[in-house]
Amino acid sequence: MSVSSPSEAVEAVEAVHSGPGGEPVLTVDGLHITVAGGRAEAVRDVAFTVHAGEAVGVVGESGSGKTLTCRSLLGVLPPGCEVSAGSAVLAGDGGAVTELTALDRRQWERLRGAELGAVFQDPASYLNPALTVGRQLAEPLRVRLGMTRARARERAVELFASVGLREPAQVYHRYPHELSGGMLQRVLIAIAVACDPRLLVADEATTALDTVVQAEVLDLLARLRDERGLALLLVTHDLAVVAEVTDRVLVFYAGEIVEDGPTQDVVHRPAHPYTAALLRVASLGDWNRRELAVIPGRPPEAGQAPPGCRFADRCDFAEDRCRTAPIPLTRTPGGRRVRCVRAAELTPILTAPPEEVPA
Amino acid sequence: MTTTTGRLIDPAPPAPEKTAPPTDRRALSVSGLSVAYPRRHGRGAGESVLRGVDLEVTPGQILGVIGETGSGKTTLARAVVGLAPVVGGRIEVAGIDVGGLRKRELRDHRRSGVVQYMFQDPLRSLDPDLTVADLVGEPLAVAGVERAERRARVAEALGRVGLDADALGGRIPAQLSGGQRQRVSLARAIVTRPALLLADEPVSALDASNRNHVLRLLDELRRDLGVAVVVISHDLSSLAGIADRIAVLYRGRLVEQGPTAEVLARPLHPYTALLTASAPRLDRDPAVRRDRPGRSGPVSGEAPAWAGEPGACVFAHRCPLAEADCRTQPGGSPHPGERSAACHHPVTTSADRLARAPRATT
Amino acid sequence: MRTLRRTGRMPAARVALAVLAVVALLAVLGGVLAPQDPLAQDTTRVLQGPSGAHLLGTDYLGRDVLSRLLAGTGRSVFGAVESVGAAMVLGVVPGLASLWLGRSFEWSALRVVDALMTLPFTLFAIAAVGVFGNGLHQAMLALGVLLAPLFFRVSRAAALGLKQAQYVEAAELMGASRGRILRTHIAAKVLPTIAVTTAHALATALLTVASLTFLGVGVQPPAPTWGGMLASDLGYLAQQPWAPALPGVLIMITVGALNLLADAVRDSGAAQAAEPAAGGSAGGTSTGAPDDVPAARDARERKADERVVTV
């Protein structure tokens, strides 16, 4: 597999970065989320910013806190979970800002769909099976944007066309069960972007789709980002998916951000051993028989994290100093952050592209 | 009731001429398999879900089955265990014609545990009220294995999948993590020491590390136990890591099959080329990615008018290479190296031709 | 089974069980505990209020109300249990069998049930008593026949859903027999549903015993039952307005406890259904945070999400 040299990759990323406007859309700072009625902390001190037109990927294993973080931004935390500290600020039109952690139910309902769009893994369960998909798209247009019935319908057909559904006028009259999984996900994306939100959160939106449809939906998300200047927060467990469409990637482990940086930079020169481990297990377009890599051990359970580095027990490079005190998230050159005391010395070791490591 | 579907099958047609060699060397042999679910109203078979599928798996071999949702992957596996209405063709598991089994024979065949089917979602296929030990031991209990021997074999099966029988044996599925649940499913499938294991999307609900873990277990099992494995997956790259052969299904037809690395690295069929081109990779920067070829196939105007006809090539409606001769469905013509592809234009450069074909925009 | 065990840990269920235990004790020992002969009439002291000799007063024939209530418990409760027991046998067995014994049995069973459901309760009991003779057993068995469709429908519906469960399909693939599938996979899950139905049916039967006695069907006077006492006391409402309250309260408490228990069983069954999602934190094996895996999504959670995209 021909790997473009890291420097080329970085240039490509910078070209993308200079494109979209730079003002922050979402600023999360010091976010803590507790689970089990406040008895355990599942997300600790998460801070990041999403700029307008930027696509940010959030990756991590099951239970890394990535989904909880994303749900807290949508106000749909599961029962027993709550934001215990920190802030998440969504910048609205004309300089208005909204503190997401302080919203009540009514305020959430005004915000969602209008300024925040969301797409989830299982599109069928978010659509009403008894209504045509067209109606489910036209309804928010009429309610939120005050469109007339005819105008909303016209706009809905336009939106269906813009998310790549063929024969949108016919699709308008279809019921959810008449559409395939890929088409439903497109319908859901159309609903999510109908009111021109500034931020679209996609929580494992392509995980259940097959390869070709997944690639198409990722293409669609990238295109919407380009055309509408939409900020994108893509939550997934597959680093390869993130590498496809994002500018920047946040790597979550056991409720903390362990690495943050430009995507191509991070996937080609991981600074944290956990990122390197994720890269080893990711689907990499390698078609050969090989020993599939796994990350040994299990992540610590919420509230039972060790005092030092939370990844230390599964890390090949852990030393005594890793286990004593919490590791800070340190800024490194190139707009990256990493939570590893040995990051500087490890980067060259971890950089060897995993696909070139002999099986 | 699901078990009755096997009885709907007409007596197996005379074996096609090519299944002459002794069958004991093959764990699974499928020839000319067609499956069609009955119409909801009225009589006769409805639309075909599988048409004329030929497959073979030898002991210790892993066959990967790929294809889009609705391509018939799951139906293929279900047909082998008698859960899908077979309307034509022949299925042999370890030399036994399973299509010909009736009531009692079918039950005895199932109790023997020669073939095991592993469901996609362990939360649904494992009884939520039973403990891990009971779940894994169930196939043995059904077959009437003594309690003491059962306990030993359950512990052995759990050990093989890397679970501690003493620590987890008393838990119920809800008390396990997703990866552990899938491994319990796997333990239940191998506890009967099957000759053939059919795994239906065993890893699609797992994260990357757990996915690789389960796939590695399958790899170990075929090596240690010599079990033949059919894995259905839509994750091409990790499947490529363990599978010896790959079969590609599209709309109920087997469009290509052959050794894994050859099929995926040098696809003969344009659909396989589309699949491999769509697989996510790390080194593709966003600008290049958007110019990827053949993603969505021809836009509605470009597909040939005859593309939907019953006799036409199933992939013609999306194929940028479709020509007049694609109006008839090509057979699975053999190619060097035990490969076959159902395409009139199976050229090794089809990936390149795809790239140069008119690009579809949505 | 886990549902029933869990039910035992719920406070509401414990209160209900305690009340029912007392009722059961009275049912068995009521006659012995009665301070006086419940049938002994004392015409010099009719319709008296509570006193040292008669703690709850006397009725229109001068019989001790407390003794009659205690002695009547057994007949009332056993009557209800008898009818519900009959209903369970006549309902649950064909209800489950209708799923496995083929189309013709299923069709016939469903038609019989439809026919039974059209019959009015009281009228059928009166007719049955007319044919088989007036007595508690006849009336109660007649009631049991009429309650059977309830059990039939409920157990059939519960099993119908379970029969299509993937783990049942998996068991069929192992070559498991119907009986085995029924025992290991179906019975334990249908049980909570049947328990709920039983509690409701017992309450219904208890009230029906009362109303039948009220009509003079079933228990013959002077034998005391709660319903019979309620009926006769109502005749002397002008003299003793509070008297019907005594048997009334007993019926109410028993029925209330049964309903409480039924609700508790149902709630713990619902809690169990939601458990796989909570497994991450409840099981303590995962990380406490909800799984990112699709299967582990809670239905409630999904509903919450639904608002996001549909509003």
Side-chain angles (χ1 to χ4, degrees):
Chain A
M1 168 167 152
S2 70
V3 180
S4 53
S5 80
S7 60
E8 274 172 35
V10 173
E11 274 164 32
V13 168
E14 274 161 5
V16 172
H17 258 301
S18 57
E23 97 256 33
V25 173
L26 175 72
T27 312
V28 176
D29 195 23
L31 189 74
H32 291 250
I33 298 173
T34 57
V35 295
R39 286 196 294 276
E41 199 170 60
V43 172
R44 195 185 78 84
D45 198 17
V46 164
F48 64 93
T49 308
V50 182
H51 295 90
E54 189 183 27
V56 174
V58 178
V59 262
E61 284 171 286
S62 304
S64 61
K66 60 184 195 300
T67 293
L68 277 181
T69 304
C70 135
R71 280 170 182 267
S72 74
L73 300 176
L74 296 168
V76 287
L77 279 176
C81 303
E82 61 172 5
V83 174
S84 56
S87 74
V89 176
L90 184 73
D93 295 320
V97 292
T98 316
E99 174 56 59
L100 295 179
T101 56
L103 294 185
D104 62 26
R105 211 187 136 130
R106 189 175 290 267
Q107 290 167 316
W108 268 122
E109 274 166 19
R110 266 206 299 276
L111 196 70
R112 288 189 208 122
E115 291 182 48
L116 260 177
V119 191
F120 296 95
Q121 179 170 33
D122 178 14
S125 63
Y126 298 102
L127 290 168
N128 183 339
L131 297 178
T132 63
V133 294
R135 213 174 133 194
Q136 296 184 55
L137 173 54
E139 207 62 39
L141 292 172
R142 292 179 60 200
V143 173
R144 287 181 184 271
L145 304 181
M147 290 185 181
T148 62
R149 190 182 292 266
R151 175 78 193 102
R153 183 168 165 170
E154 202 178 304
R155 177 83 187 114
V157 173
E158 281 171 31
L159 278 164
F160 280 151
S162 80
V163 295
L165 286 164
R166 276 175 229 159
E167 302 181 333
Q170 273 84 53
V171 170
Y172 185 95
H173 296 289
R174 295 271 181 274
Y175 289 90
H177 70 91
E178 296 174 305
L179 302 178
S180 69
M183 291 169 91
L184 285 178
Q185 198 57 283
R186 286 171 195 268
V187 166
L188 220 63
I189 291 171
I191 293 174
V193 300
C195 303
D196 273 318
R198 296 169 57 85
L199 176 66
L200 179 65
V201 180
D203 183 3
E204 301 277 6
T206 63
T207 306
L209 304 174
D210 59 59
T211 314
V212 177
V213 181
Q214 163 169 300
E216 286 171 2
V217 169
L218 289 175
D219 278 356
L220 169 63
L221 290 174
R223 190 163 57 76
L224 288 172
R225 194 266 300 256
D226 290 349
E227 287 173 6
R228 295 166 173 253
L230 198 66
L232 201 60
L233 193 66
L234 194 72
V235 181
T236 173
H237 65 258
D238 196 341
L239 201 48
V241 167
V242 161
E244 288 269 289
V245 280
T246 61
D247 306 318
R248 215 150 55 76
V249 60
L250 303 167
V251 182
F252 270 65
Y253 183 76
E256 297 178 327
I257 293 180
V258 295
E259 184 160 7
D260 167 23
T263 306
Q264 291 300 314
D265 215 359
V266 170
V267 299
H268 287 108
R269 288 187 298 140
H272 196 284
Y274 179 62
T275 314
L278 276 185
L279 278 165
R280 277 198 302 276
V281 301
S283 318
L284 290 170
D286 181 351
W287 308 134
N288 293 308
R289 275 293 308 276
R290 61 194 189 276
E291 186 80 348
L292 295 171
V294 298
I295 310 176
R298 297 165 55 80
E301 287 172 27
Q304 293 172 21
C309 173
R310 296 184 171 192
F311 188 60
D313 290 343
R314 303 171 77 186
C315 180
D316 294 335
F317 307 99
E319 297 176 343
D320 288 345
R321 61 175 167 150
C322 297
R323 302 180 200 273
T324 48
I327 312 296
L329 191 60
T330 322
R331 270 188 197 287
T332 59
R336 295 176 64 171
R337 293 184 295 168
V338 60
R339 196 184 290 276
C340 177
V341 288
R342 300 186 65 192
E345 50 174 315
L346 288 180
T347 306
I349 304 171
L350 299 172
T351 296
E355 57 267 46
E356 288 178 8
V357 173
Chain B
M1 216 163 106
T2 39
T3 45
T4 61
T5 48
R7 269 176 277 130
L8 297 175
I9 311 167
D10 291 322
E17 39 293 305
K18 49 181 161 180
T19 56
T23 45
D24 48 296
R25 281 184 52 249
R26 285 167 302 190
L28 172 67
S29 163
V30 171
S31 54
L33 177 68
S34 294
V35 172
Y37 286 98
R39 285 207 196 88
R40 218 174 276 175
H41 305 288
R43 288 153 184 280
E47 206 185 331
S48 291
V49 193
L50 280 181
R51 272 173 295 182
V53 173
D54 298 304
L55 277 180
E56 272 183 19
V57 192
T58 55
Q61 193 179 49
I62 295 186
L63 172 74
V65 179
I66 58 177
E68 62 184 5
T69 314
S71 59
K73 295 173 293 185
T74 296
T75 305
L76 174 63
R78 289 175 70 88
V80 172
V81 291
L83 288 181
V86 175
V87 293
R90 188 179 170 88
I91 302 170
E92 284 182 20
V93 174
I96 306 160
D97 176 9
V98 291
L101 296 180
R102 297 292 173 269
K103 266 188 168 179
R104 169 132 301 176
E105 296 160 343
L106 183 65
R107 174 171 288 183
D108 289 344
H109 167 68
R110 285 176 168 172
R111 285 188 179 170
S112 72
V114 168
V115 53
Q116 286 288 349
Y117 179 83
M118 195 177 150
F119 289 86
Q120 176 176 0
D121 181 359
L123 265 185
R124 287 169 59 210
S125 59
L126 300 177
D127 189 324
D129 283 350
L130 298 188
T131 63
V132 168
D134 286 344
L135 285 166
V136 176
E138 192 178 1
L140 300 178
V142 168
V145 174
E146 295 281 323
R147 188 177 292 268
E149 192 195 338
R150 205 157 75 205
R151 195 175 309 128
R153 281 175 68 175
V154 166
E156 185 208 327
L158 283 171
R160 278 205 181 276
V161 300
L163 295 176
D164 182 0
D166 295 328
L168 296 175
R171 296 203 189 170
I172 55 167
Q175 294 168 336
L176 302 173
S177 73
Q180 286 174 331
R181 274 196 289 267
Q182 197 56 278
R183 281 188 272 158
V184 168
S185 250
L186 185 55
R188 178 169 75 171
I190 59 165
V191 78
T192 59
R193 298 171 185 155
L196 173 66
L197 170 63
L198 304 152
D200 185 3
E201 304 248 12
V203 293
S204 63
L206 303 177
D207 64 25
S209 179
N210 276 318
R211 174 191 67 204
N212 287 3
H213 194 151
V214 169
L215 290 178
R216 262 169 70 158
L217 284 171
L218 289 175
D219 202 10
E220 283 167 25
L221 292 172
R222 61 92 168 257
R223 220 172 28 229
D224 299 350
L225 306 178
V227 54
V229 184
V230 175
V231 189
I232 296 169
S233 174
H234 61 240
D235 192 281
L236 304 192
S237 179
S238 57
L239 187 59
I242 62 160
D244 304 299
R245 293 174 66 80
I246 290 280
V248 186
L249 286 173
Y250 187 78
R251 296 211 173 170
R253 290 238 181 223
L254 186 66
V255 294
E256 180 161 4
Q257 67 165 320
T260 304
E262 284 181 41
V263 169
L264 295 178
R266 288 181 300 282
L268 294 174
H269 196 280
Y271 176 64
T272 318
L274 174 62
L275 270 178
T276 55
S278 302
R281 334 173 56 127
L282 281 185
D283 60 338
R284 188 181 285 121
D285 77 76
V288 175
R289 181 189 43 71
R290 252 161 277 143
D291 293 330
R292 195 176 316 179
R295 269 289 173 79
S296 314
V299 283
S300 42
E302 283 178 40
W306 44 262
E309 286 176 13
C313 171
V314 280
F315 191 60
H317 68 121
R318 288 171 78 181
C319 185
L321 308 173
E323 287 170 23
D325 50 354
C326 298
R327 205 162 173 166
T328 54
Q329 169 67 38
S333 51
H335 287 264
E338 300 182 338
R339 295 184 70 179
S340 70
C343 182
H344 289 298
H345 314 285
V347 280
T348 42
T349 53
S350 77
D352 304 325
R353 288 179 62 186
L354 260 180
R356 276 184 264 114
R359 163 96 175 100
T361 43
T362 44
Chain C
M1 286 315 269
R2 291 197 305 130
T3 304
L4 295 187
R5 274 201 296 273
R6 191 195 315 269
T7 306
R9 292 199 294 269
M10 293 173 73
R14 289 188 170 187
V15 171
L17 283 172
V19 170
L20 293 176
V22 171
V23 172
L25 202 70
L26 290 184
V28 178
L29 301 175
V32 183
L33 290 177
Q36 293 169 29
D37 181 358
L39 299 182
Q41 301 179 7
D42 184 352
T43 41
T44 56
R45 297 154 172 256
V46 294
L47 297 175
Q48 284 193 338
S51 65
H54 304 282
L55 285 176
L56 292 177
T58 57
D59 70 358
Y60 65 103
L61 290 174
R63 296 174 294 199
D64 182 49
V65 171
L66 178 64
S67 303
R68 283 182 68 77
L69 280 177
L70 288 173
T73 306
R75 220 169 263 107
S76 309
V77 171
F78 290 135
V81 169
E82 185 181 3
S83 64
V84 171
M88 273 173 84
V89 173
L90 293 175
V92 175
V93 175
L96 293 179
S98 71
L99 294 174
W100 273 275
L101 288 189
R103 291 258 171 112
S104 48
F105 179 84
E106 184 176 5
W107 189 89
S108 331
L110 281 169
R111 298 296 83 76
V112 170
V113 163
D114 286 345
L116 280 175
M117 286 178 92
T118 59
L119 294 174
F121 255 8
T122 321
L123 225 56
F124 183 76
I126 292 172
V129 163
V131 174
F132 299 110
N134 198 357
L136 188 62
H137 293 297
Q138 289 89 329
M140 287 302 106
L141 289 176
L143 186 58
V145 170
L146 284 185
L147 282 172
L150 185 66
F151 283 92
F152 178 89
R153 294 237 168 238
V154 161
S155 54
R156 182 181 144 83
L160 199 61
L162 293 168
K163 200 185 147 203
Q164 281 149 5
Q166 220 170 51
Y167 49 79
V168 171
E169 195 173 50
E172 279 169 7
L173 277 183
M174 295 168 201
S177 62
R178 288 168 190 171
R180 198 194 142 77
I181 290 175
L182 207 57
R183 278 199 312 279
T184 40
H185 299 292
I186 309 261
K189 290 172 195 70
V190 176
L191 216 56
T193 316
I194 293 179
V196 172
T197 313
T198 306
H200 282 304
L202 275 172
T204 309
L206 208 58
L207 289 175
T208 312
V209 177
S211 64
L212 283 179
T213 317
F214 194 80
L215 292 171
V217 178
V219 183
Q220 289 310 302
T225 61
W226 293 350
M229 292 175 68
L230 187 63
S232 58
D233 284 346
L234 282 174
Y236 300 89
L237 213 51
Q239 291 87 342
Q240 273 187 319
W242 48 267
L246 294 171
V249 162
L250 274 179
I251 293 173
M252 224 171 69
I253 287 174
T254 313
V255 170
L258 283 169
N259 281 331
L260 202 63
L261 188 65
D263 288 350
V265 173
R266 191 200 56 214
D267 290 349
S268 60
Q272 182 177 337
E275 185 160 278
S281 40
T285 55
S286 182
T287 52
D291 246 344
D292 292 319
V293 181
R297 277 274 222 49
D298 187 349
R300 277 174 305 176
E301 214 173 293
R302 275 193 191 160
K303 249 190 202 132
D305 295 334
E306 208 164 335
R307 290 199 312 266
V308 188
V309 285
T310 52
V311 284

